[in-house]
Coordinates of all heavy atoms in Angstrom, one line a residue:
D1 N 14.4 -1.6 -6.0 CA 13.0 -1.5 -6.0 C 12.4 -2.9 -6.5 O 13.0 -3.5 -7.4 CB 12.6 -0.4 -6.9 CG 11.1 -0.1 -6.9 OD1 10.5 0.1 -5.8 OD2 10.5 -0.2 -8.0
L2 N 11.3 -3.3 -6.0 CA 10.7 -4.5 -6.4 C 9.7 -4.1 -7.5 O 8.6 -3.5 -7.2 CB 9.9 -5.1 -5.2 CG 9.2 -6.4 -5.4 CD1 10.2 -7.5 -5.7 CD2 8.4 -6.7 -4.2
T3 N 9.9 -4.6 -8.7 CA 9.1 -4.2 -9.8 C 7.8 -5.1 -9.8 O 6.9 -4.8 -10.5 CB 9.8 -4.5 -11.2 OG1 10.2 -5.8 -11.2 CG2 11.0 -3.5 -11.2
G4 N 7.7 -6.1 -9.0 CA 6.6 -7.0 -9.0 C 5.5 -6.6 -8.0 O 4.8 -7.4 -7.5
L5 N 5.4 -5.3 -7.6 CA 4.4 -4.9 -6.8 C 3.3 -4.2 -7.6 O 3.5 -3.4 -8.4 CB 4.9 -3.8 -5.8 CG 3.9 -3.1 -4.9 CD1 3.1 -4.0 -4.0 CD2 4.5 -2.0 -4.1
S6 N 2.0 -4.7 -7.4 CA 0.9 -4.1 -8.1 C -0.1 -3.7 -7.0 O -0.3 -4.4 -6.0 CB 0.3 -5.1 -9.1 OG -0.2 -6.2 -8.5
I7 N -0.8 -2.6 -7.3 CA -1.9 -2.2 -6.3 C -3.1 -1.9 -7.1 O -3.0 -1.5 -8.3 CB -1.5 -0.9 -5.5 CG1 -1.0 0.2 -6.4 CG2 -0.4 -1.3 -4.5 CD1 -0.7 1.5 -5.6
S8 N -4.3 -2.0 -6.5 CA -5.6 -1.8 -7.1 C -6.6 -1.5 -6.0 O -6.3 -1.8 -4.9 CB -6.0 -2.9 -8.0 OG -6.2 -4.1 -7.3
P9 N -7.7 -0.9 -6.3 CA -8.0 -0.2 -7.6 C -7.2 1.1 -7.7 O -6.8 1.6 -6.7 CB -9.5 0.1 -7.4 CG -9.8 0.2 -5.9 CD -8.8 -0.7 -5.3
H10 N -7.1 1.5 -8.9 CA -6.4 2.8 -9.2 C -7.2 3.5 -10.3 O -7.1 3.1 -11.4 CB -5.0 2.5 -9.6 CG -4.1 3.7 -9.7 ND1 -3.9 4.6 -8.7 CD2 -3.5 4.3 -10.8 CE1 -3.2 5.6 -9.1 NE2 -2.9 5.4 -10.4
P11 N -7.9 4.5 -10.0 CA -8.0 5.2 -8.7 C -8.8 4.5 -7.7 O -9.6 3.6 -8.0 CB -8.7 6.6 -9.0 CG -9.5 6.3 -10.3 CD -8.7 5.3 -11.0
S12 N -8.5 4.7 -6.5 CA -9.2 4.1 -5.3 C -10.4 4.9 -4.9 O -10.4 6.1 -5.1 CB -8.2 3.9 -4.2 OG -8.9 3.5 -3.0
H13 N -11.3 4.3 -4.2 CA -12.4 5.0 -3.6 C -12.1 5.4 -2.2 O -13.0 6.1 -1.5 CB -13.7 4.1 -3.6 CG -13.4 2.7 -3.1 ND1 -13.0 2.4 -1.8 CD2 -13.3 1.5 -3.8 CE1 -12.8 1.1 -1.7 NE2 -12.9 0.5 -2.9
G14 N -10.9 5.1 -1.6 CA -10.5 5.6 -0.4 C -10.9 4.7 0.8 O -10.5 5.0 1.9
R15 N -11.5 3.6 0.5 CA -12.0 2.6 1.6 C -11.0 1.6 1.8 O -10.9 1.0 2.9 CB -13.4 2.1 1.3 CG -14.5 3.2 1.4 CD -15.8 2.6 1.2 NE -16.9 3.5 1.2 CZ -17.3 4.2 0.2 NH1 -16.8 3.9 -1.0 NH2 -18.3 5.1 0.3
S16 N -10.3 1.1 0.8 CA -9.4 0.0 0.9 C -8.4 0.0 -0.3 O -8.7 0.6 -1.3 CB -10.1 -1.3 0.9 OG -10.8 -1.6 -0.3
L17 N -7.4 -0.7 -0.2 CA -6.4 -0.9 -1.2 C -5.9 -2.3 -1.2 O -5.6 -2.9 -0.2 CB -5.2 0.1 -0.9 CG -4.1 0.1 -2.0 CD1 -4.6 0.8 -3.3 CD2 -2.9 0.8 -1.4
F18 N -5.8 -2.9 -2.4 CA -5.4 -4.3 -2.5 C -4.0 -4.3 -3.2 O -3.8 -3.5 -4.1 CB -6.4 -5.1 -3.4 CG -5.9 -6.5 -3.7 CD1 -5.9 -7.5 -2.8 CD2 -5.4 -6.7 -4.9 CE1 -5.5 -8.8 -3.1 CE2 -4.9 -8.0 -5.3 CZ -5.0 -9.0 -4.3
G19 N -3.1 -5.1 -2.7 CA -1.8 -5.2 -3.3 C -1.4 -6.7 -3.4 O -1.8 -7.6 -2.8
R20 N -0.4 -6.8 -4.4 CA 0.2 -8.2 -4.6 C 1.6 -8.0 -4.9 O 2.1 -7.1 -5.7 CB -0.5 -8.8 -5.9 CG 0.1 -10.1 -6.2 CD -0.6 -10.8 -7.4 NE -1.9 -11.1 -6.9 CZ -3.0 -10.9 -7.8 NH1 -2.8 -10.5 -8.9 NH2 -4.2 -11.3 -7.4
I21 N 2.4 -8.8 -4.3 CA 3.9 -8.8 -4.4 C 4.3 -10.1 -5.2 O 4.0 -11.2 -4.8 CB 4.6 -8.8 -3.1 CG1 4.2 -7.5 -2.3 CG2 6.1 -8.8 -3.3 CD1 4.7 -7.5 -0.9
N22 N 5.0 -9.9 -6.3 CA 5.5 -11.0 -7.1 C 6.9 -11.4 -6.5 O 7.9 -11.2 -7.2 CB 5.5 -10.6 -8.5 CG 5.9 -11.8 -9.5 OD1 5.8 -12.9 -9.0 ND2 6.3 -11.5 -10.6
A23 N 6.9 -12.0 -5.3 CA 8.2 -12.4 -4.7 C 7.9 -13.4 -3.6 O 6.7 -13.5 -3.2 CB 8.9 -11.2 -4.2
E24 N 8.9 -14.2 -3.3 CA 8.7 -15.2 -2.2 C 8.7 -14.5 -0.9 O 9.7 -13.7 -0.6 CB 9.7 -16.3 -2.3 CG 9.5 -17.3 -1.3 CD 10.5 -18.5 -1.4 OE1 11.1 -18.6 -2.5 OE2 10.7 -19.2 -0.4
I25 N 7.7 -14.5 -0.1 CA 7.7 -13.8 1.1 C 8.1 -14.7 2.3 O 7.5 -15.8 2.4 CB 6.2 -13.3 1.4 CG1 5.7 -12.5 0.2 CG2 6.1 -12.5 2.7 CD1 6.5 -11.3 -0.1
K26 N 9.1 -14.3 3.0 CA 9.7 -15.2 4.1 C 9.5 -14.5 5.5 O 10.0 -15.1 6.4 CB 11.1 -15.4 3.8 CG 11.3 -16.2 2.5 CD 12.8 -16.5 2.3 CE 13.0 -17.3 1.0 NZ 14.4 -17.5 0.7
E27 N 8.9 -13.3 5.5 CA 8.9 -12.6 6.7 C 7.7 -11.6 6.7 O 7.2 -11.3 5.7 CB 10.2 -11.8 6.9 CG 10.5 -10.8 5.8 CD 11.8 -10.2 5.9 OE1 12.3 -10.0 6.9 OE2 12.4 -10.0 4.8
T28 N 7.3 -11.1 7.9 CA 6.3 -10.1 8.0 C 7.0 -8.8 7.5 O 8.0 -8.5 7.9 CB 5.8 -10.0 9.4 OG1 5.3 -11.2 9.8 CG2 4.7 -8.9 9.5
Y29 N 6.2 -8.0 6.8 CA 6.7 -6.7 6.3 C 5.7 -5.6 6.5 O 4.5 -5.8 6.6 CB 7.0 -6.8 4.7 CG 5.8 -7.2 3.9 CD1 4.9 -6.3 3.4 CD2 5.6 -8.6 3.7 CE1 3.8 -6.6 2.7 CE2 4.5 -8.9 2.9 CZ 3.6 -7.9 2.4 OH 2.5 -8.3 1.7
P30 N 6.1 -4.4 6.8 CA 5.2 -3.3 7.1 C 4.7 -2.7 5.7 O 5.3 -2.7 4.7 CB 6.1 -2.2 7.7 CG 7.5 -2.5 7.2 CD 7.6 -4.0 7.0
I31 N 3.4 -2.3 5.8 CA 2.8 -1.6 4.7 C 2.4 -0.2 5.2 O 1.5 -0.1 6.1 CB 1.5 -2.4 4.3 CG1 1.8 -3.8 3.9 CG2 0.8 -1.6 3.1 CD1 0.6 -4.7 3.9
V32 N 3.1 0.8 4.7 CA 2.9 2.2 5.3 C 2.3 3.0 4.1 O 2.8 3.0 3.0 CB 4.2 2.8 5.8 CG1 4.0 4.1 6.4 CG2 4.8 1.8 6.7
I33 N 1.2 3.8 4.5 CA 0.6 4.7 3.5 C 0.9 6.1 3.9 O 0.7 6.5 5.1 CB -0.9 4.5 3.4 CG1 -1.3 3.0 3.3 CG2 -1.5 5.4 2.4 CD1 -0.9 2.4 2.0
Y34 N 1.3 6.9 3.0 CA 1.6 8.3 3.2 C 0.7 9.2 2.3 O 0.4 8.8 1.2 CB 3.1 8.7 2.9 CG 4.1 7.9 3.7 CD1 4.6 6.7 3.2 CD2 4.5 8.4 5.0 CE1 5.6 6.1 4.0 CE2 5.4 7.7 5.7 CZ 6.0 6.6 5.2 OH 6.9 5.9 5.9
D35 N 0.4 10.4 2.8 CA -0.3 11.3 2.0 C 0.7 12.1 1.1 O 1.9 11.9 1.2 CB -1.2 12.2 2.8 CG -0.5 13.2 3.6 OD1 0.7 13.4 3.6 OD2 -1.2 13.9 4.5
N36 N 0.2 13.0 0.3 CA 1.0 13.8 -0.6 C 2.0 14.7 0.1 O 3.0 15.1 -0.5 CB 0.1 14.6 -1.6 CG 0.9 15.1 -2.8 OD1 1.7 14.3 -3.3 ND2 0.6 16.2 -3.3
L37 N 1.8 15.0 1.3 CA 2.7 15.8 2.1 C 3.8 15.0 2.9 O 4.6 15.6 3.6 CB 1.9 16.7 3.1 CG 0.9 17.7 2.4 CD1 0.2 18.4 3.5 CD2 1.7 18.7 1.5
G38 N 3.7 13.7 2.8 CA 4.6 12.8 3.4 C 4.2 12.4 4.9 O 4.9 11.7 5.6
K39 N 2.9 12.7 5.2 CA 2.4 12.3 6.5 C 1.9 10.9 6.5 O 1.1 10.5 5.6 CB 1.3 13.3 6.9 CG 0.6 12.9 8.3 CD -0.5 13.8 8.6 CE -1.2 13.4 9.8 NZ -2.5 14.2 10.0
M40 N 2.3 10.1 7.5 CA 1.8 8.7 7.5 C 0.3 8.7 7.9 O 0.0 9.3 8.9 CB 2.6 7.9 8.5 CG 2.2 6.4 8.6 SD 3.2 5.4 9.6 CE 3.0 6.2 11.2
V41 N -0.5 8.0 7.1 CA -1.9 8.0 7.4 C -2.4 6.6 7.7 O -3.5 6.4 8.2 CB -2.7 8.5 6.1 CG1 -2.4 10.0 5.9 CG2 -2.5 7.7 4.9
S42 N -1.5 5.6 7.5 CA -1.9 4.2 7.8 C -0.6 3.3 8.0 O 0.3 3.5 7.2 CB -2.8 3.6 6.7 OG -3.1 2.2 6.9
R43 N -0.7 2.4 8.9 CA 0.5 1.4 9.0 C -0.1 0.1 9.4 O -0.9 0.0 10.3 CB 1.4 1.9 10.1 CG 2.6 1.0 10.2 CD 3.7 1.5 11.2 NE 4.7 0.5 11.5 CZ 5.8 0.4 10.8 NH1 6.0 1.3 9.8 NH2 6.7 -0.5 11.1
S44 N 0.2 -0.9 8.6 CA -0.2 -2.3 8.9 C 0.9 -3.2 8.5 O 2.0 -2.8 8.2 CB -1.5 -2.6 8.1 OG -1.3 -2.4 6.7
A45 N 0.7 -4.5 8.6 CA 1.7 -5.4 8.2 C 1.1 -6.7 7.6 O -0.1 -7.0 7.8 CB 2.5 -5.8 9.4
S46 N 1.9 -7.4 6.9 CA 1.4 -8.6 6.3 C 2.6 -9.6 6.1 O 3.8 -9.2 6.1 CB 0.9 -8.4 4.9 OG 0.4 -9.6 4.3
S47 N 2.3 -10.9 6.1 CA 3.3 -11.9 5.8 C 3.0 -12.7 4.6 O 3.5 -13.8 4.3 CB 3.5 -12.8 7.0 OG 2.3 -13.4 7.3
Q48 N 2.0 -12.2 3.8 CA 1.5 -12.9 2.6 C 1.9 -12.2 1.4 O 2.1 -11.0 1.4 CB -0.1 -13.0 2.7 CG -0.6 -13.7 3.9 CD -0.2 -15.2 4.0 OE1 -0.2 -15.9 3.0 NE2 0.3 -15.5 5.2
S49 N 1.8 -12.8 0.2 CA 2.2 -12.1 -1.1 C 1.0 -11.2 -1.5 O 1.2 -10.3 -2.3 CB 2.4 -13.1 -2.1 OG 1.3 -13.9 -2.4
E50 N -0.2 -11.3 -1.0 CA -1.3 -10.5 -1.3 C -1.8 -9.9 0.0 O -1.8 -10.5 1.1 CB -2.5 -11.3 -1.9 CG -2.2 -11.8 -3.3 CD -3.3 -12.6 -3.9 OE1 -4.4 -12.8 -3.2 OE2 -3.3 -12.9 -5.1
F51 N -2.2 -8.6 0.0 CA -2.6 -7.9 1.1 C -3.7 -6.9 0.8 O -3.9 -6.5 -0.4 CB -1.5 -7.1 1.8 CG -0.9 -6.0 0.9 CD1 -1.4 -4.7 0.9 CD2 0.2 -6.3 0.1 CE1 -0.9 -3.8 0.1 CE2 0.8 -5.3 -0.7 CZ 0.3 -4.1 -0.7
T52 N -4.6 -6.6 1.8 CA -5.6 -5.6 1.7 C -5.4 -4.6 2.9 O -5.3 -5.1 4.0 CB -7.0 -6.2 1.8 OG1 -7.1 -7.1 0.7 CG2 -8.1 -5.1 1.6
V53 N -5.5 -3.3 2.6 CA -5.5 -2.3 3.7 C -6.8 -1.6 3.6 O -7.2 -1.2 2.6 CB -4.3 -1.3 3.4 CG1 -4.4 -0.2 4.5 CG2 -3.0 -2.0 3.4
N54 N -7.5 -1.7 4.8 CA -8.8 -1.0 4.9 C -8.6 0.4 5.6 O -7.9 0.4 6.6 CB -9.8 -1.8 5.7 CG -10.1 -3.1 4.9 OD1 -10.5 -3.0 3.7 ND2 -9.9 -4.2 5.5
F55 N -9.2 1.4 5.1 CA -9.1 2.7 5.7 C -10.4 3.1 6.4 O -11.5 3.3 5.8 CB -8.8 3.8 4.6 CG -7.6 3.4 3.8 CD1 -7.6 3.0 2.5 CD2 -6.3 3.5 4.4 CE1 -6.5 2.7 1.8 CE2 -5.2 3.1 3.7 CZ -5.3 2.7 2.4
I56 N -10.3 3.3 7.8 CA -11.5 3.7 8.5 C -11.0 4.9 9.3 O -10.2 4.8 10.2 CB -12.0 2.6 9.4 CG1 -12.4 1.5 8.6 CG2 -13.1 3.1 10.3 CD1 -12.7 0.2 9.3
P57 N -11.6 6.2 9.0 CA -12.5 6.5 8.0 C -11.8 6.4 6.6 O -10.6 6.4 6.6 CB -12.9 7.9 8.4 CG -11.8 8.5 9.1 CD -11.1 7.3 9.8
P58 N -12.6 6.5 5.6 CA -12.0 6.5 4.2 C -11.1 7.7 4.0 O -11.3 8.8 4.6 CB -13.3 6.6 3.3 CG -14.4 6.1 4.1 CD -14.1 6.5 5.5
L59 N -10.1 7.5 3.2 CA -9.1 8.5 2.8 C -9.8 9.6 2.0 O -10.6 9.3 1.1 CB -8.0 8.0 2.0 CG -7.1 7.0 2.7 CD1 -6.1 6.4 1.8 CD2 -6.4 7.6 3.9
P60 N -9.5 10.9 2.3 CA -10.0 12.0 1.4 C -9.4 11.8 0.0 O -8.4 11.2 -0.1 CB -9.5 13.2 2.1 CG -9.1 12.8 3.4 CD -8.7 11.4 3.4
S61 N -10.0 12.5 -1.0 CA -9.5 12.5 -2.3 C -8.0 13.1 -2.3 O -7.7 14.0 -1.5 CB -10.3 13.4 -3.2 OG -11.6 12.8 -3.3
G62 N -7.2 12.5 -3.2 CA -5.8 13.0 -3.2 C -4.9 11.9 -3.7 O -5.2 10.9 -4.1
V63 N -3.6 12.3 -3.7 CA -2.5 11.4 -4.1 C -1.9 10.8 -2.9 O -1.6 11.6 -1.9 CB -1.4 12.1 -5.0 CG1 -0.3 11.2 -5.3 CG2 -2.1 12.6 -6.2
Y64 N -1.7 9.5 -2.8 CA -1.1 8.8 -1.7 C 0.0 7.8 -2.2 O 0.1 7.5 -3.4 CB -2.2 8.0 -0.9 CG -3.2 8.8 -0.4 CD1 -4.3 9.3 -1.0 CD2 -3.1 9.2 1.0 CE1 -5.2 10.1 -0.4 CE2 -4.0 10.0 1.6 CZ -5.1 10.5 0.9 OH -6.0 11.3 1.4
Y65 N 0.9 7.4 -1.3 CA 2.0 6.5 -1.5 C 1.9 5.3 -0.6 O 1.7 5.5 0.6 CB 3.3 7.3 -1.4 CG 3.4 8.5 -2.3 CD1 3.0 9.7 -1.9 CD2 3.9 8.3 -3.6 CE1 3.0 10.8 -2.7 CE2 4.0 9.4 -4.5 CZ 3.6 10.6 -4.0 OH 3.6 11.7 -4.9
V66 N 2.1 4.2 -1.1 CA 2.3 3.0 -0.3 C 3.7 2.5 -0.4 O 4.3 2.5 -1.5 CB 1.3 1.8 -0.8 CG1 1.5 1.4 -2.3 CG2 1.4 0.6 0.1
K67 N 4.3 2.2 0.7 CA 5.7 1.8 0.9 C 5.7 0.5 1.6 O 5.1 0.4 2.6 CB 6.6 2.8 1.5 CG 8.0 2.4 1.6 CD 8.8 3.5 2.3 CE 10.3 3.0 2.3 NZ 11.2 3.8 3.1
I68 N 6.4 -0.4 1.0 CA 6.6 -1.8 1.6 C 8.1 -2.1 1.6 O 8.8 -1.9 0.6 CB 5.9 -2.9 0.7 CG1 4.4 -2.5 0.7 CG2 6.1 -4.3 1.1 CD1 3.6 -3.3 -0.3
S69 N 8.6 -2.6 2.7 CA 10.0 -2.9 2.8 C 10.3 -4.0 3.8 O 9.5 -4.2 4.7 CB 10.8 -1.7 3.1 OG 10.4 -1.1 4.4
S70 N 11.3 -4.7 3.5 CA 11.8 -5.8 4.4 C 13.2 -5.9 4.3 O 13.9 -5.1 3.6 CB 11.0 -7.1 4.2 OG 11.6 -7.7 3.0
N71 N 13.8 -7.0 4.8 CA 15.3 -7.2 4.7 C 15.6 -7.6 3.3 O 16.7 -7.5 2.8 CB 15.8 -8.2 5.7 CG 15.7 -7.7 7.1 OD1 15.8 -6.5 7.4 ND2 15.5 -8.6 8.0
T72 N 14.6 -8.2 2.5 CA 14.9 -8.7 1.2 C 14.3 -8.0 0.0 O 14.6 -8.2 -1.1 CB 14.4 -10.2 1.1 OG1 13.0 -10.2 1.4 CG2 15.2 -11.1 2.1
F73 N 13.4 -7.0 0.3 CA 12.8 -6.3 -0.8 C 12.3 -4.9 -0.3 O 12.1 -4.7 0.9 CB 11.7 -7.0 -1.5 CG 10.5 -7.3 -0.6 CD1 9.5 -6.3 -0.5 CD2 10.4 -8.5 0.0 CE1 8.4 -6.6 0.3 CE2 9.3 -8.8 0.8 CZ 8.3 -7.8 1.0
S74 N 12.1 -4.0 -1.2 CA 11.6 -2.7 -1.0 C 10.8 -2.2 -2.2 O 11.3 -2.4 -3.3 CB 12.7 -1.7 -0.6 OG 12.2 -0.4 -0.3
A75 N 9.7 -1.5 -2.0 CA 9.0 -1.0 -3.1 C 8.1 0.2 -2.7 O 7.7 0.2 -1.5 CB 8.1 -2.1 -3.8
A76 N 7.8 1.1 -3.6 CA 6.9 2.2 -3.3 C 6.1 2.4 -4.6 O 6.6 2.4 -5.7 CB 7.6 3.4 -2.9
R77 N 4.8 2.7 -4.4 CA 3.9 3.0 -5.5 C 3.0 4.2 -5.1 O 2.6 4.3 -3.9 CB 3.0 1.9 -5.9 CG 3.8 0.6 -6.4 CD 4.4 0.9 -7.8 NE 5.0 -0.3 -8.3 CZ 6.3 -0.6 -8.2 NH1 7.1 0.2 -7.5 NH2 6.8 -1.7 -8.7
C78 N 2.6 5.0 -6.0 CA 1.6 6.0 -5.7 C 0.2 5.5 -6.2 O 0.1 4.7 -7.1 CB 2.0 7.4 -6.3 SG 1.9 7.5 -8.1
F79 N -0.9 6.1 -5.6 CA -2.2 5.8 -6.0 C -3.0 7.0 -5.8 O -2.8 7.8 -4.9 CB -2.8 4.6 -5.4 CG -2.9 4.6 -3.9 CD1 -4.2 4.9 -3.4 CD2 -1.9 4.4 -3.0 CE1 -4.3 5.0 -2.0 CE2 -2.0 4.4 -1.7 CZ -3.3 4.7 -1.1
L80 N -4.1 7.1 -6.5 CA -5.0 8.2 -6.5 C -6.4 7.8 -5.8 O -6.8 6.7 -6.0 CB -5.4 8.7 -7.9 CG -6.4 9.8 -8.0 CD1 -5.8 11.1 -7.4 CD2 -6.8 10.0 -9.5
V81 N -6.8 8.7 -4.9 CA -8.1 8.5 -4.2 C -9.0 9.5 -4.8 O -8.7 10.7 -4.8 CB -8.1 8.6 -2.7 CG1 -9.5 8.6 -2.1 CG2 -7.2 7.5 -2.1
K82 N -10.2 9.0 -5.4 CA -11.0 9.9 -6.1 C -12.5 9.6 -5.7 O -12.9 8.5 -5.8 CB -10.9 9.8 -7.6 CG -11.6 10.8 -8.4 CD -11.3 10.6 -9.9 CE -12.0 11.5 -10.8 NZ -11.8 11.4 -12.2
H83 N -13.2 10.6 -5.2 CA -14.6 10.4 -4.8 C -15.5 10.9 -5.8 O -15.3 11.8 -6.5 CB -14.9 11.0 -3.4 CG -14.0 10.4 -2.3 ND1 -14.4 9.2 -1.7 CD2 -12.9 10.8 -1.7 CE1 -13.5 8.9 -0.8 NE2 -12.6 9.9 -0.8

C-alpha cells in the first residue's frame, strides 16, 4: 500500500475529489471510484502526482472508495460524500 496518498476534501461535496501521490510517477495509472456496495461509479487516469476527478452528475451522499494502482504502487482510501 502506498502510504503517501492523500485525498481531499473529506468529507466531499460529491462534485470532485482531489488527490496527491507522494511518489515518483513514471506511468499512467487508473483512478477508480467505487460506492459502498463495490459498484464502480467513476474511472479515469492520470500520469501526474496530483489529480482531480470530477463527478457529473455529483455523487449522492454516502461512503466511497478511491483505488489507484500501477506496476509500481497501489493504494486505496475511503471518503465520505455529504450534502
Side-chain angles (χ1 to χ4, degrees):
D1 186 57
L2 180 67
T3 57
L5 170 64
S6 60
I7 56 173
S8 63
H10 187 61
S12 170
H13 46 67
R15 292 183 183 91
S16 63
L17 183 71
F18 173 77
R20 177 177 295 140
I21 299 170
N22 186 19
E24 185 177 341
I25 306 303
K26 298 179 181 179
E27 60 192 321
T28 300
Y29 57 89
I31 305 162
V32 185
I33 311 293
Y34 298 94
D35 68 12
N36 199 35
L37 300 175
K39 178 183 174 188
M40 183 174 56
V41 296
S42 173
R43 182 177 173 89
S44 57
S46 180
S47 59
Q48 305 296 315
S49 60
E50 295 182 350
F51 62 87
T52 300
V53 179
N54 294 306
F55 304 110
I56 300 172
L59 296 174
S61 294
V63 176
Y64 294 84
Y65 300 88
V66 56
K67 182 178 180 187
I68 297 172
S69 60
S70 76
N71 292 331
T72 57
F73 64 86
S74 178
R77 298 287 184 268
C78 69
F79 63 98
L80 178 67
V81 172
K82 187 175 179 181
H83 295 281

